[in-house]
Amino acid sequence: MIWLTWRQHRRQLLYMALALLALAALMVPTGLRMHDSFEESGLADCLDALGTDVLVSGGADTCDALRRQFTDEFNSLTMVAILFMVLPLLVGLFLGAPLVSRELEHGTHRLVWTQGVSRRRWALTKLGLLGAVTIPLAVAYALGVTWWFGPMAANGTGRLAYGFFDVQGVVPVGYTLFALALGTFAGTVTRRVMPAMALTLGGFVAVRLFVELGLRPHYLPAEELTYSTTGGEWLNPAAASWVYESGVRNADGELVSTGLIGCPPHDPECLDRGGVEPGSSNWQLYQPGDRFWPFQFIETGVFLALTALLCYLAVRRIRRLT
């Protein structure tokens, strides 16, 4: 049964491996160039010197010139992040969706089930073998992208930001396994390849958006920060905070501006120029940057739980197919 499953799906697995090699051919030279520029320009040392405190003195060097220079040089590569975010979905579309639906569509499943192979064994062997091959490929992909994206995330954006969080750490492995299980389950529902791929596409996008926008901001309680508009302090870009909302609140606590103001301590006209009354303060609602790994493990756990549920439902449906 294992040999048969390998024979049936070795082409798709080979394509996955070749896709990773092609991705590595893009990532390695550009990644080395980014890491070298990040270190040699002095940006890495500048950001390290800022520390991890949320606020820094207004007179401190916040590395703005170096950060802009780095962004201008490598900003075009951030579009590659879109490709990284799509890769787990491709596993679901081209490996998961046809896994069962192609057999059902062509009727070849009946032949296997008459050869002394139970439906449960048939389903678990297929899922187990493909999952066992997919996991190391997904881990290699996640490690490679995490290394490649490191300088961009450190350049004041932060690893918790949308588009950065989703392609680093361990969550890509969870996304990949979820896509594989979703495609398999979709195949048991539609019993045809193309409808299964369409259901996988819609389901994957819907769940990812729901988790990213609806659940992720609430994994841990957000923190609030209030600081003076005239205290000579400013947000530390090296803290890598994920800011939900920010602005200026007046003395009554009302949000009067969505922009932050940093005035020198002895410049009374600065507030007037900013259109803000005395007694106002800067405010932000945020997740600290050091919560990256707790958020990673929470979200990976969510998708692994969904993967287990979909695998159970898929096997259950296969046992009832006619």
Side-chain angles (χ1 to χ4, degrees):
M1 186 64 207
I2 294 177
W3 177 85
L4 176 61
T5 302
W6 169 253
R7 292 274 299 179
Q8 286 179 319
H9 302 286
R10 60 183 178 179
R11 181 175 297 177
Q12 292 99 315
L13 293 172
L14 176 61
Y15 289 158
M16 284 177 57
L18 290 176
L20 284 179
L21 289 176
L23 192 61
L26 168 67
M27 290 169 54
V28 171
T30 56
L32 289 173
R33 189 157 60 92
M34 280 195 296
H35 280 266
D36 289 343
S37 177
F38 189 69
E39 296 289 340
E40 294 173 0
S41 67
L43 179 56
D45 292 336
C46 184
L47 291 173
D48 285 342
L50 288 175
T52 58
D53 292 338
V54 181
L55 296 175
V56 294
S57 170
D61 179 11
T62 54
C63 319
D64 286 347
L66 292 174
R67 291 171 58 208
R68 283 195 299 269
Q69 178 183 340
F70 184 85
T71 300
D72 291 342
E73 184 177 359
F74 296 106
N75 189 52
S76 60
L77 290 178
T78 58
M79 298 301 296
V80 181
I82 298 175
L83 173 62
F84 294 151
M85 295 176 69
V86 169
L87 284 178
L89 172 59
L90 297 181
V91 173
L93 290 176
F94 297 105
L95 193 60
L99 183 63
V100 175
S101 61
R102 180 175 288 124
E103 300 263 14
L104 298 176
E105 190 172 1
H106 296 161
T108 54
H109 62 291
R110 296 189 181 92
L111 176 62
V112 179
W113 293 345
T114 59
Q115 303 301 312
V117 178
S118 68
R119 300 183 183 202
R120 182 179 180 181
R121 180 187 170 193
W122 179 78
L124 292 179
T125 300
K126 279 180 166 288
L127 281 170
L129 178 62
L130 294 185
V133 176
T134 300
I135 288 175
L137 293 177
V139 169
Y141 148 75
L143 290 174
V145 176
T146 300
W147 167 80
W148 187 85
F149 239 35
M152 291 187 183
N155 188 29
T157 304
R159 295 187 295 174
L160 283 170
Y162 290 124
F164 287 79
F165 180 89
D166 309 74
V167 295
Q168 298 189 80
V170 294
V171 292
V173 179
Y175 299 156
T176 303
L177 293 177
F178 167 72
L180 179 64
L182 177 61
T184 303
F185 175 70
T188 67
V189 173
T190 64
R191 312 185 104 186
R192 297 176 60 191
V193 175
M194 294 306 295
M197 294 177 72
L199 184 58
T200 301
L201 173 61
F204 184 85
V205 172
V207 172
R208 281 292 314 276
L209 288 177
F210 173 73
V211 171
E212 184 166 329
L213 302 178
L215 296 184
R216 188 186 301 167
H218 307 290
Y219 289 159
L220 293 173
E223 295 188 4
E224 289 192 59
L225 175 67
T226 301
Y227 60 100
S228 174
T229 56
T230 59
E233 292 180 310
W234 201 245
L235 297 179
N236 182 4
S241 302
W242 179 22
V243 180
Y244 297 166
E245 190 178 356
S246 63
V248 176
R249 292 185 180 275
N250 61 21
D252 296 327
E254 299 173 344
L255 189 65
V256 296
S257 172
T258 56
L260 300 174
I261 294 180
C263 291
H266 305 293
D267 186 358
E269 297 180 357
C270 177
L271 290 179
D272 293 335
R273 292 194 299 268
V276 176
E277 62 187 47
S280 299
S281 57
N282 288 316
W283 168 85
Q284 74 172 20
L285 185 67
Y286 73 105
Q287 292 284 356
D290 59 6
R291 291 183 176 179
F292 173 78
W293 284 111
F295 273 51
Q296 282 273 317
F297 291 130
I298 292 171
E299 186 151 318
T300 302
V302 170
F303 278 93
L304 289 181
L306 291 174
T307 298
L309 176 61
L310 288 169
C311 288
Y312 167 76
L313 294 175
V315 173
R316 184 173 180 180
R317 284 191 60 83
I318 289 172
R319 296 178 66 180
R320 297 182 178 184
L321 291 173
T322 58

